[in-house]
Amino acid sequence: MTRPSAGGRIEVICGCMYSGKTEELIRRMRQVMIARQPCRVFTPRLDTRYSAQHVASHAGARLEAIPVSSIKEVLASADDLQVAAIDELHFLEDAPDVILAGCQALADRGLRVIVAGLDQDYRADPFPGMMQLMAVAEQVDKLYAICVRCGAYATRSQRLIDGRPAPADAPTLVVGGLDLYEARCRSCYEPAR
Ligand code: ADP
Ligand code: ZN
């Protein structure tokens, strides 16, 4: 086994929808760009809410990004990089252990790897890929939104269909915005049935 290169690290930005994960990723990447470090932002192809060539926060901040379907594509275009950022990691099509191995390989090469993604799905179950990355990351930041019902800190993404909680057997990944998802706290969250 080769010794990991110095400087490599994994940073995970997690939380529910509207918690500011993309804003935080953009903030960190703007600093990286000011420091003129070779960097690239990647965004899963599945996330078609906004222009595919950008990551965009709900508040409107945008940054150029390269659409990818798999962590392999990130590995293939990371040779010249010091920093690689992946937004909406939960949308990558790979199995959780493949995502984990890919991010570990990047960090072992000496890259700073910044990933942002949902820690829980709409059923409030952990996203396995995010869960595993959090365990090995050098830094984990959990962000909070504001509960639309009571104003407390929100940690959960409520998916609604015609104003009612989506059933538990609905697809895990459905791209949508305020029409489909609400940020809610533990006590205002209504479990999927
Ligand atoms: P995430 O990537 O976590 O979904 P974004 O960075 O895209 O979040 O968006 C965060 C922004 O969403 C906030 O700065 C705010 O303007 C907006 N927003 C909309 N609804 C809420 C909410 N319920 N709580 C907090 N912020 C919200
Ligand atoms: Zn609440």
Side-chain angles (χ1 to χ4, degrees), residues 21-39:
K21 301 182 297 297
T22 300
E23 273 173 2
E24 177 59 18
L25 181 136
I26 291 173
R27 190 188 70 82
R28 290 186 199 184
M29 291 311 288
R30 288 203 169 128
Q31 288 187 336
V32 166
M33 288 167 188
I34 288 167
R36 298 180 188 280
Q37 296 170 342
C39 64

Side-chain angles (χ1 to χ4, degrees), residues 90-140:
H90 53 275
F91 277 138
L92 282 183
E93 289 166 18
D94 310 294
D97 57 324
V98 174
I99 294 174
L100 177 71
C103 291
Q104 293 273 55
L106 290 167
D108 285 348
R109 283 190 206 168
L111 269 78
R112 178 181 176 197
V113 182
I114 305 174
V115 310
L118 292 168
D119 46 10
Q120 300 162 58
D121 63 20
Y122 77 98
R123 304 179 197 92
D125 290 331
F127 265 110
M130 288 293 290
M131 201 164 80
Q132 295 194 17
L133 267 181
M134 279 185 232
V136 301
E138 273 74 13
Q139 182 181 339
V140 178

Side-chain angles (χ1 to χ4, degrees), residues 5-178:
S5 310
R9 59 189 265 111
I10 298 176
E11 298 169 25
V12 175
I13 305 165
C14 68
C16 64
M17 284 192 69
Y18 315 109
S19 61
K21 301 182 297 297
T22 300
E23 273 173 2
E24 177 59 18
L25 181 136
I26 291 173
R27 190 188 70 82
R28 290 186 199 184
M29 291 311 288
R30 288 203 169 128
Q31 288 187 336
V32 166
M33 288 167 188
I34 288 167
R36 298 180 188 280
Q37 296 170 342
C39 64
R40 213 160 280 149
V41 181
F42 300 91
T43 183
R45 279 211 179 81
L46 212 66
D47 186 359
T48 54
R49 275 182 305 176
Y50 308 102
S51 156
Q53 310 294 326
H54 290 85
V55 295
S57 86
H58 290 102
R62 280 158 73 96
L63 211 57
E64 218 174 282
I66 296 165
V68 292
S69 305
S70 128
I71 192 81
K72 259 195 241 135
E73 293 174 55
V74 178
L75 284 157
S77 70
D79 274 352
D80 49 343
L81 300 183
Q82 205 170 333
V83 185
I86 310 170
D87 196 26
E88 308 273 17
L89 186 92
H90 53 275
F91 277 138
L92 282 183
E93 289 166 18
D94 310 294
D97 57 324
V98 174
I99 294 174
L100 177 71
C103 291
Q104 293 273 55
L106 290 167
D108 285 348
R109 283 190 206 168
L111 269 78
R112 178 181 176 197
V113 182
I114 305 174
V115 310
L118 292 168
D119 46 10
Q120 300 162 58
D121 63 20
Y122 77 98
R123 304 179 197 92
D125 290 331
F127 265 110
M130 288 293 290
M131 201 164 80
Q132 295 194 17
L133 267 181
M134 279 185 232
V136 301
E138 273 74 13
Q139 182 181 339
V140 178
D141 291 285
K142 178 150 179 155
L143 307 182
Y144 309 95
I146 296 299
C147 174
V148 298
R149 286 284 173 94
C150 75
Y153 279 142
T155 53
R156 297 186 175 183
S157 309
Q158 180 85 56
R159 188 195 293 166
L160 298 167
I161 297 174
D162 298 327
R164 299 190 53 77
D169 59 0
T172 300
L173 296 174
V174 176
V175 179
L178 281 169

